[in-house]
Amino acid sequence: LLVLAGRDDSSAFGEQVDVYRNNAWQFFLRALERIYPVTQRRVGAEFFCQLAHEYRAVNPSRRGDLHWIGEAFPAWLAGRLVDTGYDWLADLAQLEWACEESVAATHLEPVALDSLAGVAAEVLPTLTLQWQPSLRLVSSAFPIWSVWQANQPQQVAAAVDLEAGGEQCAVACVTDRVAVYRLEAPDHRLLRHLHAGVPLEAATAAAATDATTLGRLLGWAFGEGLVVRVVNAPAA
């Protein structure tokens, strides 16, 4: 029971509730700022705080782990900024959330490219690949990788031409850090199919690419430690 000399319990309780509410809001805001530092930098701290207030009103924290409070932010931001000319910020936020998910994912021991060396030529087209759980793929009609890259800590924010065209990204946690890769559109299409578990040959056809693109992409993916298992197709 809370008792303060010269004051009634209801007044003291109300103040305690106000303190709790303010603390809860500050924890929420700080967590959202940590997850979306580039988005905050682009809109400014004051407007980001306003957005956080609006977002929290419809997406309050429902878990003890503050990591998850930002999960719905990119989709919410897309609706909030529709037809404002700033809808590209939702895609930027999606890239930042992919980074957050990547950090929290399990890391598995990768396999090397030479794991394909002993595979018979007739079996190669039917192989599927298993990927690091941290791998995320993000695509945008805007140059979100360039914006993200130009607004990293410890550097002056650089202007990016938002009319420069779309960019495709792969995000993964490698060697204890988050790496954000910019991929060419054909590579990104192919990687999406491979990541979904489509066999090598079928994925190449579905992505409308060729063996050269496949070879280049596999060399990069194995080299970055993104492949954790090569799976032979089951016998017919």
Side-chain angles (χ1 to χ4, degrees):
L1 180 63
L2 178 64
V3 178
L4 295 179
R7 305 176 63 185
D8 61 53
D9 292 348
S10 61
S11 175
F13 178 75
E15 289 187 4
Q16 292 296 317
V17 170
D18 287 343
V19 169
Y20 170 79
R21 286 175 176 166
N22 182 64
N23 287 343
W25 156 243
Q26 291 299 323
F27 283 133
F28 187 95
L29 178 60
R30 297 289 91 79
L32 209 62
E33 289 173 337
R34 181 192 61 79
I35 297 168
Y36 297 103
V38 177
T39 302
Q40 183 199 36
R41 190 173 191 182
R42 296 310 304 172
V43 303
E46 183 176 350
F47 187 52
F48 188 86
C49 183
Q50 177 186 327
L51 291 173
H53 265 295
E54 296 177 23
Y55 172 66
R56 186 174 182 239
V58 294
N59 292 280
S61 177
R62 294 182 173 87
R63 310 189 195 185
D65 185 354
L66 288 176
H67 161 79
W68 296 103
I69 68 166
E71 183 176 21
F73 187 67
W76 176 84
L77 198 60
R80 172 66 171 77
L81 298 177
V82 66
D83 295 329
T84 65
Y86 293 96
D87 45 336
W88 61 273
L89 284 165
D91 289 357
L92 176 63
Q94 185 63 53
L95 178 58
E96 291 199 276
W97 178 249
C99 293
E100 182 71 7
E101 284 190 310
S102 186
V103 167
T106 302
H107 180 78
L108 302 178
E109 190 66 27
V111 295
L113 184 60
D114 60 14
S115 60
L116 299 177
V119 179
E122 63 272 15
V123 176
L124 275 172
T126 65
L127 294 180
T128 60
L129 304 175
Q130 290 185 4
W131 301 83
Q132 287 289 356
S134 65
L135 181 61
R136 299 291 185 274
L137 301 174
V138 181
S139 182
S140 174
F142 303 98
I144 55 171
W145 182 90
S146 295
V147 174
W148 182 87
Q149 185 68 25
N151 287 274
Q152 291 306 294
Q154 313 304 322
Q155 66 183 45
V156 178
V160 175
D161 180 9
L162 296 175
E163 302 297 325
E167 290 181 337
Q168 296 74 40
C169 306
V171 178
C173 196
V174 295
T175 61
D176 299 323
R177 66 178 178 85
V178 173
V180 181
Y181 308 93
R182 178 175 58 184
L183 301 181
E184 296 299 325
D187 295 348
H188 196 265
R189 287 198 310 270
L190 179 54
L191 184 55
R192 279 195 176 277
H193 289 288
L194 294 173
H195 189 237
V198 179
L200 300 184
E201 185 175 58
T204 303
T209 55
D210 53 26
T212 300
T213 302
L214 176 63
R216 181 179 66 248
L217 182 67
L218 291 182
W220 165 78
F222 278 96
E224 292 296 316
L226 302 181
V227 181
V228 300
R229 188 181 176 200
V230 176
V231 183
N232 291 320

